[in-house]
Amino acid sequence: MDNFVVSARKYRPATFESVVGQSHITTTLKNAIKSKHLAQAFLFCGPRGVGKTTNARILAKTINCENITADVEACNVCDSCKSFNNNASFNVHELDAASNNSVDDIRSLVDQVRYPPQYGKYKIYIIDEVHMLSTAAFNAFLKTLEEPPSYAIFILATTEKHKIIPTILSRCQIFDFNRIQVKDIADHLAYIAKQENIKAEAQALHLIAQKADGALRDALSIFDLIVTFSSNNTVTYKTTIENLHILDYDYYFRMTDVFHKQDAPAALLIFDEILKQGFDGHNFIVGISEHFRNLLVCKDASTLKLLEVADDVKKKYSEQAQQCSVSFLMSCLNIANTCDLQYKSSRNQRLHVELALMKMAYLNSAINLSKLNPEELKKKPETPIKETEKTVAFKKEQAFSIKDLSPKEKENAVPKSESKSSMKLPKLDTLKQEVRDDSKKQEDKKESTQSYGNKQFSLEDVKKYWNSFALNLKNESKKSEFIIMDREITLDKNTIKVKLDNLIQADQLDSIKTDLLEFLRKKLDNNNLILESDVSESEGKRKIYTSDEKFKYLSEKYPFLDDMKKRFGLETDF
């Protein structure tokens, strides 16, 4: 059995023309070689799988090529190109900085730079993952990088440019690689499939390209996986979504049709079907949000190019976009985005998604209702009320009885209807006053129902029964009321005065005042007993808390403070 070579290695670009999606890089490098304006150090930056190391090797091979073609491409037949292709070139040295990141490794590299090439013009040093070098190694590399020999060229590659010290960046010519577009990756996969005699559907290749997230190496790895999973060397859309565990486009199209028809039960059934297939509710919400975004993109011909799907799927998007209004799609996007943000914090995540789906299902009704005029909303349908036989007989009986009445009696018998517009809601202060009056009437009524004598009593008698009532409160676990009873009391004829510290204590005493008075009148046999609260004036005054209140208090004592505030533009928040 022949040894299998993965597509990422087998179809690795060997020339600048075969590099995918980085034309701005390859054009600049070819022009530099053609005009012989080569920098002493290059820095290739960008995400994984976009061709940084590949371009570094192509550049190294092309620089030392003995027979460069007219379009600045390596010939691949000279001794230099052959030795490079066989990994036997003495002029190209590669260093993996991830595993060789110490000062000693850089010193060894610097020692090699001292020796000129045996044949060829340049010695090229490719340092991959250069951001992994230690700070000491960077500093040891600075002098050589700034003033290398005329035959030495350094090509550095990294995925994290921000980790490289600025002194290294300033000594390099920086090239930023882009993420490869979905269309470019899909076209390259189609080329490889044709070379390998593999039948591949366009939808499947676009799906693999989207899953790769701009990395061609990842796309090739996924492609090899799908080919191995499939049978008869055929890559279909169905096998791709099964292997990558991606939700089918059709579910989103079906769900949108259900929303447009305002069929909430069908939406819940489709969501249940999705969950039974093992998909997560959060992934579904993210997917439906992307679907609404694609529909919005299809509403305008100028933004249609932003839709990165196969042509047949793009046609389905365009057809469904014509059925949905922009307001409907924007509202659905807003609901889906809110559901996405609150999904992880929700206790019942399935119900959270289902509520969002039901809101989307009834969006068209809400939109249509908002389009109605206010006058149309005020109109009520005039539906005749069917009268029963008993109702008709009762009306006749009332009509005959009214005929027998006098004109004045008729006027009193027929109630005058008041229009709703003449009815006014009472003010809040009026309602509060009515409640106080009612409570006072109830209290007075309660007091009047009990009649006691007019027996004389002393302060000691009052304190005796006062403490007895307090003990009852303690037994009933009314702690706050029990504490308020522990106050100094005085007696002025039939009036008991309680000394309190503040208005809060007065409110607490008022809550038990009725029961306390009833208890004392019964025990002392005196119906004229009165209970009054004596709140201390110094404590009853409002205390100063805020900065504004403090400044107002001080400015009244020292008027020059107000003048200083206005002159210097000061604030009271201190």
mmCIF file of all heavy atoms in Angstrom, residues 223-266:
data_model
loop_
_atom_site.group_PDB
_atom_site.id
_atom_site.type_symbol
_atom_site.label_atom_id
_atom_site.label_comp_id
_atom_site.label_asym_id
_atom_site.label_seq_id
_atom_site.Cartn_x
_atom_site.Cartn_y
_atom_site.Cartn_z
ATOM 1 N N PHE A 223 -11.112 18.568 4.416
ATOM 2 C CA PHE A 223 -11.403 17.923 3.129
ATOM 3 C C PHE A 223 -10.938 16.473 3.134
ATOM 4 O O PHE A 223 -11.669 15.571 2.683
ATOM 5 C CB PHE A 223 -10.729 18.721 2.013
ATOM 6 C CG PHE A 223 -10.905 18.131 0.648
ATOM 7 C CD1 PHE A 223 -12.105 18.268 -0.035
ATOM 8 C CD2 PHE A 223 -9.869 17.431 0.037
ATOM 9 C CE1 PHE A 223 -12.274 17.718 -1.295
ATOM 10 C CE2 PHE A 223 -10.024 16.882 -1.224
ATOM 11 C CZ PHE A 223 -11.232 17.025 -1.889
ATOM 12 N N ASP A 224 -9.712 16.229 3.629
ATOM 13 C CA ASP A 224 -9.219 14.841 3.707
ATOM 14 C C ASP A 224 -10.110 13.995 4.605
ATOM 15 O O ASP A 224 -10.368 12.815 4.315
ATOM 16 C CB ASP A 224 -7.788 14.831 4.235
ATOM 17 C CG ASP A 224 -6.799 15.389 3.209
ATOM 18 O OD1 ASP A 224 -7.150 15.436 2.026
ATOM 19 O OD2 ASP A 224 -5.687 15.782 3.619
ATOM 20 N N LEU A 225 -10.589 14.588 5.695
ATOM 21 C CA LEU A 225 -11.455 13.853 6.616
ATOM 22 C C LEU A 225 -12.774 13.474 5.946
ATOM 23 O O LEU A 225 -13.243 12.329 6.079
ATOM 24 C CB LEU A 225 -11.722 14.716 7.860
ATOM 25 C CG LEU A 225 -12.679 14.150 8.899
ATOM 26 C CD1 LEU A 225 -12.101 12.909 9.540
ATOM 27 C CD2 LEU A 225 -12.999 15.197 9.966
ATOM 28 N N ILE A 226 -13.380 14.411 5.213
ATOM 29 C CA ILE A 226 -14.664 14.127 4.559
ATOM 30 C C ILE A 226 -14.494 13.096 3.461
ATOM 31 O O ILE A 226 -15.355 12.222 3.263
ATOM 32 C CB ILE A 226 -15.268 15.433 3.993
ATOM 33 C CG1 ILE A 226 -15.461 16.461 5.109
ATOM 34 C CG2 ILE A 226 -16.596 15.163 3.315
ATOM 35 C CD1 ILE A 226 -16.356 15.998 6.226
ATOM 36 N N VAL A 227 -13.377 13.173 2.731
ATOM 37 C CA VAL A 227 -13.125 12.182 1.676
ATOM 38 C C VAL A 227 -12.980 10.791 2.276
ATOM 39 O O VAL A 227 -13.491 9.798 1.736
ATOM 40 C CB VAL A 227 -11.859 12.569 0.877
ATOM 41 C CG1 VAL A 227 -11.463 11.451 -0.072
ATOM 42 C CG2 VAL A 227 -12.108 13.845 0.088
ATOM 43 N N THR A 228 -12.295 10.691 3.407
ATOM 44 C CA THR A 228 -12.136 9.390 4.074
ATOM 45 C C THR A 228 -13.487 8.880 4.588
ATOM 46 O O THR A 228 -13.778 7.677 4.527
ATOM 47 C CB THR A 228 -11.151 9.516 5.238
ATOM 48 O OG1 THR A 228 -9.928 10.078 4.761
ATOM 49 C CG2 THR A 228 -10.874 8.166 5.869
ATOM 50 N N PHE A 229 -14.321 9.772 5.066
ATOM 51 C CA PHE A 229 -15.633 9.390 5.597
ATOM 52 C C PHE A 229 -16.589 8.967 4.483
ATOM 53 O O PHE A 229 -17.404 8.053 4.656
ATOM 54 C CB PHE A 229 -16.223 10.566 6.385
ATOM 55 C CG PHE A 229 -17.611 10.329 6.904
ATOM 56 C CD1 PHE A 229 -17.810 9.563 8.038
ATOM 57 C CD2 PHE A 229 -18.712 10.862 6.245
ATOM 58 C CE1 PHE A 229 -19.083 9.351 8.516
ATOM 59 C CE2 PHE A 229 -19.994 10.651 6.721
ATOM 60 C CZ PHE A 229 -20.181 9.892 7.861
ATOM 61 N N SER A 230 -16.488 9.624 3.339
ATOM 62 C CA SER A 230 -17.418 9.357 2.237
ATOM 63 C C SER A 230 -17.043 8.074 1.516
ATOM 64 O O SER A 230 -15.943 7.533 1.656
ATOM 65 C CB SER A 230 -17.412 10.525 1.248
ATOM 66 O OG SER A 230 -17.681 11.738 1.910
ATOM 67 N N SER A 231 -17.973 7.615 0.720
ATOM 68 C CA SER A 231 -17.744 6.398 -0.067
ATOM 69 C C SER A 231 -17.711 6.753 -1.547
ATOM 70 O O SER A 231 -18.299 7.744 -1.989
ATOM 71 C CB SER A 231 -18.857 5.374 0.200
ATOM 72 O OG SER A 231 -20.128 5.918 -0.120
ATOM 73 N N ASN A 232 -17.006 5.932 -2.327
ATOM 74 C CA ASN A 232 -16.917 6.103 -3.780
ATOM 75 C C ASN A 232 -16.291 7.438 -4.179
ATOM 76 O O ASN A 232 -16.630 8.000 -5.230
ATOM 77 C CB ASN A 232 -18.302 5.971 -4.428
ATOM 78 C CG ASN A 232 -18.928 4.619 -4.154
ATOM 79 O OD1 ASN A 232 -18.224 3.608 -4.077
ATOM 80 N ND2 ASN A 232 -20.237 4.599 -3.993
ATOM 81 N N ASN A 233 -15.388 7.957 -3.331
ATOM 82 C CA ASN A 233 -14.700 9.222 -3.635
ATOM 83 C C ASN A 233 -15.676 10.331 -4.019
ATOM 84 O O ASN A 233 -15.489 11.049 -5.001
ATOM 85 C CB ASN A 233 -13.699 9.016 -4.775
ATOM 86 C CG ASN A 233 -12.382 8.445 -4.283
ATOM 87 O OD1 ASN A 233 -12.138 8.362 -3.086
ATOM 88 N ND2 ASN A 233 -11.527 8.044 -5.218
ATOM 89 N N THR A 234 -16.716 10.461 -3.221
ATOM 90 C CA THR A 234 -17.742 11.473 -3.479
ATOM 91 C C THR A 234 -17.969 12.291 -2.203
ATOM 92 O O THR A 234 -18.258 11.734 -1.145
ATOM 93 C CB THR A 234 -19.065 10.821 -3.914
ATOM 94 O OG1 THR A 234 -18.822 10.029 -5.080
ATOM 95 C CG2 THR A 234 -20.108 11.888 -4.243
ATOM 96 N N VAL A 235 -17.835 13.604 -2.335
ATOM 97 C CA VAL A 235 -18.057 14.504 -1.206
ATOM 98 C C VAL A 235 -19.399 15.205 -1.428
ATOM 99 O O VAL A 235 -19.534 16.017 -2.346
ATOM 100 C CB VAL A 235 -16.924 15.540 -1.076
ATOM 101 C CG1 VAL A 235 -17.216 16.520 0.052
ATOM 102 C CG2 VAL A 235 -15.596 14.841 -0.850
ATOM 103 N N THR A 236 -20.391 14.859 -0.615
ATOM 104 C CA THR A 236 -21.723 15.446 -0.748
ATOM 105 C C THR A 236 -22.002 16.385 0.418
ATOM 106 O O THR A 236 -21.335 16.336 1.460
ATOM 107 C CB THR A 236 -22.801 14.355 -0.789
ATOM 108 O OG1 THR A 236 -22.786 13.633 0.446
ATOM 109 C CG2 THR A 236 -22.551 13.398 -1.949
ATOM 110 N N TYR A 237 -23.008 17.219 0.216
ATOM 111 C CA TYR A 237 -23.402 18.169 1.272
ATOM 112 C C TYR A 237 -23.925 17.425 2.498
ATOM 113 O O TYR A 237 -23.623 17.799 3.634
ATOM 114 C CB TYR A 237 -24.464 19.119 0.712
ATOM 115 C CG TYR A 237 -25.030 20.071 1.738
ATOM 116 C CD1 TYR A 237 -24.298 21.167 2.185
ATOM 117 C CD2 TYR A 237 -26.306 19.877 2.262
ATOM 118 C CE1 TYR A 237 -24.813 22.042 3.113
ATOM 119 C CE2 TYR A 237 -26.828 20.746 3.203
ATOM 120 C CZ TYR A 237 -26.084 21.828 3.624
ATOM 121 O OH TYR A 237 -26.598 22.689 4.556
ATOM 122 N N LYS A 238 -24.669 16.348 2.267
ATOM 123 C CA LYS A 238 -25.262 15.598 3.381
ATOM 124 C C LYS A 238 -24.187 14.952 4.249
ATOM 125 O O LYS A 238 -24.229 15.041 5.484
ATOM 126 C CB LYS A 238 -26.211 14.538 2.830
ATOM 127 C CG LYS A 238 -26.964 13.776 3.894
ATOM 128 C CD LYS A 238 -27.945 12.784 3.283
ATOM 129 C CE LYS A 238 -28.701 12.019 4.367
ATOM 130 N NZ LYS A 238 -29.641 11.036 3.779
ATOM 131 N N THR A 239 -23.208 14.301 3.604
ATOM 132 C CA THR A 239 -22.141 13.651 4.392
ATOM 133 C C THR A 239 -21.280 14.691 5.108
ATOM 134 O O THR A 239 -20.766 14.426 6.196
ATOM 135 C CB THR A 239 -21.259 12.800 3.464
ATOM 136 O OG1 THR A 239 -20.747 13.628 2.408
ATOM 137 C CG2 THR A 239 -22.045 11.659 2.867
ATOM 138 N N THR A 240 -21.138 15.866 4.516
ATOM 139 C CA THR A 240 -20.329 16.916 5.145
ATOM 140 C C THR A 240 -20.976 17.437 6.422
ATOM 141 O O THR A 240 -20.307 17.570 7.454
ATOM 142 C CB THR A 240 -20.110 18.080 4.158
ATOM 143 O OG1 THR A 240 -19.497 17.579 2.975
ATOM 144 C CG2 THR A 240 -19.211 19.137 4.774
ATOM 145 N N ILE A 241 -22.293 17.707 6.379
ATOM 146 C CA ILE A 241 -22.954 18.221 7.587
ATOM 147 C C ILE A 241 -23.050 17.145 8.661
ATOM 148 O O ILE A 241 -23.027 17.445 9.852
ATOM 149 C CB ILE A 241 -24.351 18.791 7.255
ATOM 150 C CG1 ILE A 241 -25.260 17.706 6.673
ATOM 151 C CG2 ILE A 241 -24.251 19.966 6.321
ATOM 152 C CD1 ILE A 241 -26.687 18.173 6.445
ATOM 153 N N GLU A 242 -23.133 15.875 8.240
ATOM 154 C CA GLU A 242 -23.174 14.786 9.229
ATOM 155 C C GLU A 242 -21.833 14.648 9.935
ATOM 156 O O GLU A 242 -21.769 14.462 11.146
ATOM 157 C CB GLU A 242 -23.544 13.472 8.536
ATOM 158 C CG GLU A 242 -25.002 13.378 8.115
ATOM 159 C CD GLU A 242 -25.294 12.079 7.395
ATOM 160 O OE1 GLU A 242 -24.346 11.267 7.246
ATOM 161 O OE2 GLU A 242 -26.452 11.870 6.987
ATOM 162 N N ASN A 243 -20.756 14.733 9.179
ATOM 163 C CA ASN A 243 -19.432 14.536 9.758
ATOM 164 C C ASN A 243 -18.994 15.731 10.585
ATOM 165 O O ASN A 243 -18.387 15.570 11.648
ATOM 166 C CB ASN A 243 -18.408 14.284 8.641
ATOM 167 C CG ASN A 243 -17.091 13.742 9.163
ATOM 168 O OD1 ASN A 243 -16.256 14.511 9.611
ATOM 169 N ND2 ASN A 243 -16.927 12.431 9.110
ATOM 170 N N LEU A 244 -19.312 16.942 10.131
ATOM 171 C CA LEU A 244 -18.910 18.148 10.854
ATOM 172 C C LEU A 244 -19.928 18.563 11.898
ATOM 173 O O LEU A 244 -19.697 19.536 12.628
ATOM 174 C CB LEU A 244 -18.699 19.296 9.860
ATOM 175 C CG LEU A 244 -17.608 19.085 8.812
ATOM 176 C CD1 LEU A 244 -17.498 20.306 7.910
ATOM 177 C CD2 LEU A 244 -16.271 18.804 9.469
ATOM 178 N N HIS A 245 -21.054 17.861 11.964
ATOM 179 C CA HIS A 245 -22.119 18.150 12.934
ATOM 180 C C HIS A 245 -22.577 19.609 12.798
ATOM 181 O O HIS A 245 -22.535 20.409 13.739
ATOM 182 C CB HIS A 245 -21.652 17.871 14.359
ATOM 183 C CG HIS A 245 -22.792 17.743 15.342
ATOM 184 N ND1 HIS A 245 -23.705 16.729 15.280
ATOM 185 C CD2 HIS A 245 -23.157 18.513 16.394
ATOM 186 C CE1 HIS A 245 -24.579 16.863 16.260
ATOM 187 N NE2 HIS A 245 -24.273 17.947 16.944
ATOM 188 N N ILE A 246 -22.995 19.929 11.583
ATOM 189 C CA ILE A 246 -23.480 21.271 11.263
ATOM 190 C C ILE A 246 -24.962 21.169 10.926
ATOM 191 O O ILE A 246 -25.392 20.234 10.236
ATOM 192 C CB ILE A 246 -22.695 21.874 10.085
ATOM 193 C CG1 ILE A 246 -21.213 22.014 10.451
ATOM 194 C CG2 ILE A 246 -23.264 23.227 9.673
ATOM 195 C CD1 ILE A 246 -20.343 22.477 9.315
ATOM 196 N N LEU A 247 -25.733 22.117 11.396
ATOM 197 C CA LEU A 247 -27.173 22.121 11.151
ATOM 198 C C LEU A 247 -27.445 22.505 9.694
ATOM 199 O O LEU A 247 -26.852 23.441 9.156
ATOM 200 C CB LEU A 247 -27.868 23.110 12.087
ATOM 201 C CG LEU A 247 -29.392 22.988 12.214
ATOM 202 C CD1 LEU A 247 -29.790 21.604 12.694
ATOM 203 C CD2 LEU A 247 -29.922 24.039 13.166
ATOM 204 N N ASP A 248 -28.353 21.772 9.075
ATOM 205 C CA ASP A 248 -28.659 21.980 7.661
ATOM 206 C C ASP A 248 -29.317 23.340 7.438
ATOM 207 O O ASP A 248 -30.066 23.847 8.266
ATOM 208 C CB ASP A 248 -29.602 20.865 7.189
ATOM 209 C CG ASP A 248 -29.713 20.803 5.680
ATOM 210 O OD1 ASP A 248 -29.117 21.669 5.020
ATOM 211 O OD2 ASP A 248 -30.391 19.894 5.169
ATOM 212 N N TYR A 249 -29.027 23.925 6.252
ATOM 213 C CA TYR A 249 -29.653 25.196 5.872
ATOM 214 C C TYR A 249 -31.177 25.079 5.860
ATOM 215 O O TYR A 249 -31.880 26.041 6.168
ATOM 216 C CB TYR A 249 -29.203 25.624 4.464
ATOM 217 C CG TYR A 249 -27.792 26.111 4.361
ATOM 218 C CD1 TYR A 249 -26.883 25.507 3.501
ATOM 219 C CD2 TYR A 249 -27.359 27.210 5.095
ATOM 220 C CE1 TYR A 249 -25.581 25.965 3.381
ATOM 221 C CE2 TYR A 249 -26.068 27.677 4.987
ATOM 222 C CZ TYR A 249 -25.171 27.047 4.136
ATOM 223 O OH TYR A 249 -23.895 27.511 4.029
ATOM 224 N N ASP A 250 -31.691 23.908 5.477
ATOM 225 C CA ASP A 250 -33.141 23.750 5.296
ATOM 226 C C ASP A 250 -33.912 24.028 6.580
ATOM 227 O O ASP A 250 -35.053 24.499 6.536
ATOM 228 C CB ASP A 250 -33.456 22.333 4.799
ATOM 229 C CG ASP A 250 -33.012 22.128 3.362
ATOM 230 O OD1 ASP A 250 -32.875 23.141 2.650
ATOM 231 O OD2 ASP A 250 -32.795 20.969 2.960
ATOM 232 N N TYR A 251 -33.323 23.738 7.733
ATOM 233 C CA TYR A 251 -34.017 24.002 8.991
ATOM 234 C C TYR A 251 -34.265 25.505 9.161
ATOM 235 O O TYR A 251 -35.332 25.918 9.611
ATOM 236 C CB TYR A 251 -33.203 23.468 10.167
ATOM 237 C CG TYR A 251 -33.323 21.980 10.358
ATOM 238 C CD1 TYR A 251 -32.277 21.133 10.032
ATOM 239 C CD2 TYR A 251 -34.491 21.417 10.866
ATOM 240 C CE1 TYR A 251 -32.379 19.759 10.203
ATOM 241 C CE2 TYR A 251 -34.606 20.036 11.044
ATOM 242 C CZ TYR A 251 -33.548 19.225 10.706
ATOM 243 O OH TYR A 251 -33.667 17.871 10.879
ATOM 244 N N TYR A 252 -33.294 26.316 8.804
ATOM 245 C CA TYR A 252 -33.456 27.764 8.931
ATOM 246 C C TYR A 252 -34.480 28.297 7.933
ATOM 247 O O TYR A 252 -35.280 29.182 8.270
ATOM 248 C CB TYR A 252 -32.110 28.459 8.732
ATOM 249 C CG TYR A 252 -31.047 28.042 9.717
ATOM 250 C CD1 TYR A 252 -29.776 27.651 9.293
ATOM 251 C CD2 TYR A 252 -31.312 28.017 11.084
ATOM 252 C CE1 TYR A 252 -28.800 27.266 10.196
ATOM 253 C CE2 TYR A 252 -30.341 27.632 11.994
ATOM 254 C CZ TYR A 252 -29.089 27.250 11.539
ATOM 255 O OH TYR A 252 -28.126 26.866 12.447
ATOM 256 N N PHE A 253 -34.474 27.741 6.710
ATOM 257 C CA PHE A 253 -35.471 28.166 5.726
ATOM 258 C C PHE A 253 -36.878 27.757 6.174
ATOM 259 O O PHE A 253 -37.831 28.539 6.050
ATOM 260 C CB PHE A 253 -35.155 27.553 4.357
ATOM 261 C CG PHE A 253 -34.001 28.197 3.642
ATOM 262 C CD1 PHE A 253 -32.798 27.538 3.477
ATOM 263 C CD2 PHE A 253 -34.131 29.477 3.124
ATOM 264 C CE1 PHE A 253 -31.743 28.134 2.824
ATOM 265 C CE2 PHE A 253 -33.074 30.085 2.466
ATOM 266 C CZ PHE A 253 -31.878 29.412 2.314
ATOM 267 N N ARG A 254 -37.013 26.549 6.704
ATOM 268 C CA ARG A 254 -38.324 26.091 7.186
ATOM 269 C C ARG A 254 -38.801 26.941 8.358
ATOM 270 O O ARG A 254 -39.979 27.325 8.431
ATOM 271 C CB ARG A 254 -38.238 24.622 7.610
ATOM 272 C CG ARG A 254 -38.168 23.629 6.469
ATOM 273 C CD ARG A 254 -37.857 22.236 6.976
ATOM 274 N NE ARG A 254 -38.811 21.829 8.012
ATOM 275 C CZ ARG A 254 -38.610 20.793 8.831
ATOM 276 N NH1 ARG A 254 -37.483 20.102 8.751
ATOM 277 N NH2 ARG A 254 -39.513 20.472 9.727
ATOM 278 N N MET A 255 -37.881 27.246 9.271
ATOM 279 C CA MET A 255 -38.252 28.027 10.447
ATOM 280 C C MET A 255 -38.706 29.440 10.046
ATOM 281 O O MET A 255 -39.687 29.963 10.587
ATOM 282 C CB MET A 255 -37.074 28.113 11.412
ATOM 283 C CG MET A 255 -37.413 28.679 12.778
ATOM 284 S SD MET A 255 -38.454 27.591 13.784
ATOM 285 C CE MET A 255 -37.246 26.429 14.393
ATOM 286 N N THR A 256 -38.044 30.031 9.081
ATOM 287 C CA THR A 256 -38.436 31.369 8.625
ATOM 288 C C THR A 256 -39.807 31.341 7.966
ATOM 289 O O THR A 256 -40.619 32.259 8.157
ATOM 290 C CB THR A 256 -37.379 31.921 7.653
ATOM 291 O OG1 THR A 256 -36.088 31.858 8.276
ATOM 292 C CG2 THR A 256 -37.678 33.361 7.284
ATOM 293 N N ASP A 257 -40.081 30.299 7.161
ATOM 294 C CA ASP A 257 -41.418 30.166 6.554
ATOM 295 C C ASP A 257 -42.496 30.041 7.619
ATOM 296 O O ASP A 257 -43.590 30.603 7.492
ATOM 297 C CB ASP A 257 -41.447 28.952 5.626
ATOM 298 C CG ASP A 257 -40.620 29.162 4.362
ATOM 299 O OD1 ASP A 257 -40.419 30.326 3.989
ATOM 300 O OD2 ASP A 257 -40.168 28.159 3.782
ATOM 301 N N VAL A 258 -42.197 29.306 8.682
ATOM 302 C CA VAL A 258 -43.162 29.136 9.781
ATOM 303 C C VAL A 258 -43.416 30.474 10.479
ATOM 304 O O VAL A 258 -44.546 30.810 10.823
ATOM 305 C CB VAL A 258 -42.627 28.078 10.772
ATOM 306 C CG1 VAL A 258 -43.371 28.141 12.091
ATOM 307 C CG2 VAL A 258 -42.765 26.689 10.165
ATOM 308 N N PHE A 259 -42.346 31.255 10.684
ATOM 309 C CA PHE A 259 -42.507 32.582 11.297
ATOM 310 C C PHE A 259 -43.384 33.477 10.429
ATOM 311 O O PHE A 259 -44.227 34.219 10.933
ATOM 312 C CB PHE A 259 -41.137 33.248 11.492
ATOM 313 C CG PHE A 259 -40.269 32.576 12.525
ATOM 314 C CD1 PHE A 259 -38.888 32.696 12.475
ATOM 315 C CD2 PHE A 259 -40.830 31.807 13.534
ATOM 316 C CE1 PHE A 259 -38.087 32.082 13.419
ATOM 317 C CE2 PHE A 259 -40.027 31.183 14.477
ATOM 318 C CZ PHE A 259 -38.666 31.318 14.413
ATOM 319 N N HIS A 260 -43.175 33.388 9.125
ATOM 320 C CA HIS A 260 -43.943 34.242 8.209
ATOM 321 C C HIS A 260 -45.422 33.859 8.211
ATOM 322 O O HIS A 260 -46.294 34.718 8.003
ATOM 323 C CB HIS A 260 -43.358 34.129 6.804
ATOM 324 C CG HIS A 260 -43.718 35.252 5.905
ATOM 325 N ND1 HIS A 260 -44.737 35.167 4.993
ATOM 326 C CD2 HIS A 260 -43.206 36.510 5.780
ATOM 327 C CE1 HIS A 260 -44.847 36.313 4.344
ATOM 328 N NE2 HIS A 260 -43.929 37.147 4.798
ATOM 329 N N LYS A 261 -45.717 32.576 8.448
ATOM 330 C CA LYS A 261 -47.111 32.115 8.501
ATOM 331 C C LYS A 261 -47.721 32.257 9.892
ATOM 332 O O LYS A 261 -48.888 31.898 10.088
ATOM 333 C CB LYS A 261 -47.182 30.651 8.074
ATOM 334 C CG LYS A 261 -46.771 30.418 6.623
ATOM 335 C CD LYS A 261 -46.772 28.934 6.303
ATOM 336 C CE LYS A 261 -46.312 28.677 4.878
ATOM 337 N NZ LYS A 261 -46.233 27.220 4.572
ATOM 338 N N GLN A 262 -46.934 32.717 10.879
ATOM 339 C CA GLN A 262 -47.385 32.901 12.264
ATOM 340 C C GLN A 262 -47.866 31.576 12.875
ATOM 341 O O GLN A 262 -48.878 31.511 13.547
ATOM 342 C CB GLN A 262 -48.487 33.957 12.336
ATOM 343 C CG GLN A 262 -48.082 35.299 11.775
ATOM 344 C CD GLN A 262 -49.133 36.361 11.975
ATOM 345 O OE1 GLN A 262 -49.654 36.510 13.073
ATOM 346 N NE2 GLN A 262 -49.447 37.107 10.924
ATOM 347 N N ASP A 263 -47.095 30.524 12.613
ATOM 348 C CA ASP A 263 -47.438 29.188 13.119
ATOM 349 C C ASP A 263 -46.463 28.840 14.242
ATOM 350 O O ASP A 263 -45.437 28.190 14.024
ATOM 351 C CB ASP A 263 -47.357 28.177 11.980
ATOM 352 C CG ASP A 263 -47.963 26.826 12.364
ATOM 353 O OD1 ASP A 263 -48.354 26.670 13.545
ATOM 354 O OD2 ASP A 263 -48.040 25.948 11.496
ATOM 355 N N ALA A 264 -46.779 29.275 15.461
ATOM 356 C CA ALA A 264 -45.882 29.043 16.604
ATOM 357 C C ALA A 264 -45.728 27.565 16.955
ATOM 358 O O ALA A 264 -44.620 27.109 17.250
ATOM 359 C CB ALA A 264 -46.367 29.835 17.817
ATOM 360 N N PRO A 265 -46.825 26.748 16.947
ATOM 361 C CA PRO A 265 -46.646 25.310 17.261
ATOM 362 C C PRO A 265 -45.676 24.621 16.309
ATOM 363 O O PRO A 265 -44.880 23.786 16.737
ATOM 364 C CB PRO A 265 -48.065 24.759 17.125
ATOM 365 C CG PRO A 265 -48.965 25.913 17.384
ATOM 366 C CD PRO A 265 -48.244 27.089 16.812
ATOM 367 N N ALA A 266 -45.728 24.947 15.025
ATOM 368 C CA ALA A 266 -44.802 24.324 14.068
ATOM 369 C C ALA A 266 -43.361 24.710 14.374
ATOM 370 O O ALA A 266 -42.443 23.897 14.227
ATOM 371 C CB ALA A 266 -45.175 24.734 12.646
#
